[in-house]
């Protein structure tokens, strides 16, 4: 699939086929694409927890407070991304530059995962709304949880039109300036 088709095809899927499980080789492919993602000082400060079956159901429930994200009940897989420690170079760079590169690195790794999944005809939805403590308990970990991704085959094949700000609101680039 060419890059622009992949970008067009990737969308937040909120309607999964609960009866279609995900081939292990496809998830391994997505994780290999994650492994190749760039990160500040090559620190790779993330860990992907792949949850299926009962664990996926529990994680899904932990994304549903206040009526949010009910669709995750039908996702056969929930991926939790926890934050791992920086390496020393990234830690020093972050301190000196007053930037948190870990959140950036996790975002980049997450979109690598989602695009690879799209290539394999899987649907994904990144979820920033979740109960961190509850997920830490489910996984038995203390690390910060930064993002959850629901994964499964979409029930519908049609791709929605993307709703985005116009380019002028996102950049000062203009052809006239050249
Ligand atoms: C960091 C992050 C957190 C998000 N959290 C949620 C969420 O909790 N629930 C949800 O339904 N969508 C969530 N989304 C999906 C966005 O709503 C979606 O990406 C945006 O509306 C653009 O639509 P598209 O992904 O279909 O192109 C999140 C996306 C990102 C990047």
């Amino acid at each position: 699939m060419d890059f622009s088709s992949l970008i067009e095809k990737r969308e937040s899927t909120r309607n999964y086929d609960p009866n279609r499980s995900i081939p292990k080789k496809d998830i391994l492919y997505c994780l290999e694409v994650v492994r190749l993602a760039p990160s500040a000082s090559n620190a790779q400060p993330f860990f992907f927890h792949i949850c299926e079956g009962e664990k996926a159901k529990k994680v899904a429930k932990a994304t549903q407070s206040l009526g949010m994200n009910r669709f995750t009940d039908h996702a056969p897989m929930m991926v939790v991304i926890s934050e791992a420690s920086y390496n020393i170079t990234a830690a020093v760079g972050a301190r000196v530059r007053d930037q948190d590169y870990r959140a950036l690195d996790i975002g980049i790794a997450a979109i690598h995962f989602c695009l690879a999944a799209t290539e394999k005809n899987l649907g994904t939805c990144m979820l920033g709304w979740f109960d961190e403590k509850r997920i830490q308990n489910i996984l038995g970990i203390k690390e910060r949880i930064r993002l959850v991704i629901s994964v499964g085959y979409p029930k519908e094949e049609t791709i929605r039109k993307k709703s985005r700000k116009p380019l002028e609101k996102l950049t000062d680039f203009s052809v006239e300036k050249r």
Side-chain angles (χ1 to χ4, degrees):
M1 188 183 295
D2 66 62
F3 185 69
S4 53
S5 308
L6 186 66
I7 293 296
E8 202 54 50
K9 190 174 170 194
R10 200 252 9 117
E11 64 182 6
S12 295
T13 299
R14 299 186 179 89
N15 194 2
Y16 297 102
D17 182 344
N19 301 315
R20 227 176 133 189
S21 58
I22 302 164
K24 191 175 174 187
K25 68 172 177 20
D26 288 348
I27 286 305
L28 284 173
Y29 172 76
C30 297
L31 294 174
E32 182 57 20
V33 171
V34 164
R35 206 173 70 83
L36 300 180
S39 59
S41 302
N42 206 14
Q44 304 153 72
F46 41 74
F47 197 87
F48 279 58
H49 307 259
I50 309 301
C51 306
E52 294 180 280
E54 275 314 300
K55 203 181 258 187
K57 298 241 166 303
K58 284 184 189 164
V59 170
K61 289 290 175 215
T63 70
Q64 294 181 3
S65 61
L66 300 178
M68 296 283 285
N69 298 329
R70 296 267 189 230
F71 61 89
T72 56
D73 277 339
H74 303 295
M77 180 178 285
M78 298 293 282
V79 176
V80 177
I81 311 178
S82 63
E83 191 174 275
S85 41
Y86 267 152
N87 62 23
I88 187 73
T89 331
V92 170
R95 175 64 75 89
V96 172
R97 304 295 355 151
D98 188 24
Q99 293 284 351
D100 188 347
Y101 300 122
R102 280 174 294 190
L104 288 175
D105 295 338
I106 287 168
I108 293 165
I111 194 62
H112 267 228
F113 182 93
C114 293
L115 289 173
T118 305
E119 191 193 353
K120 295 293 177 189
N121 296 317
L122 288 161
T124 57
C125 187
M126 293 192 211
L127 305 165
W129 183 269
F130 54 84
D131 182 333
E132 184 175 16
K133 285 268 164 311
R134 204 165 147 183
I135 297 182
Q136 284 170 327
N137 284 336
I138 295 164
L139 299 180
I141 60 170
K142 289 195 167 61
E143 286 77 13
R144 295 294 314 261
I145 310 289
R146 294 300 185 191
L147 198 67
V148 178
I149 307 176
S150 54
V151 191
Y153 287 99
K155 263 193 169 170
E156 288 154 33
E157 289 294 314
T158 48
I159 301 167
R160 295 188 303 273
K161 190 172 158 26
K162 300 219 183 326
S163 156
R164 297 293 189 267
K165 292 176 185 174
L167 207 54
E168 315 81 79
K169 295 227 165 136
L170 297 168
T171 164
D172 67 359
F173 178 81
S174 82
V175 179
E176 291 83 64
K177 281 185 186 167
R178 295 212 134 185

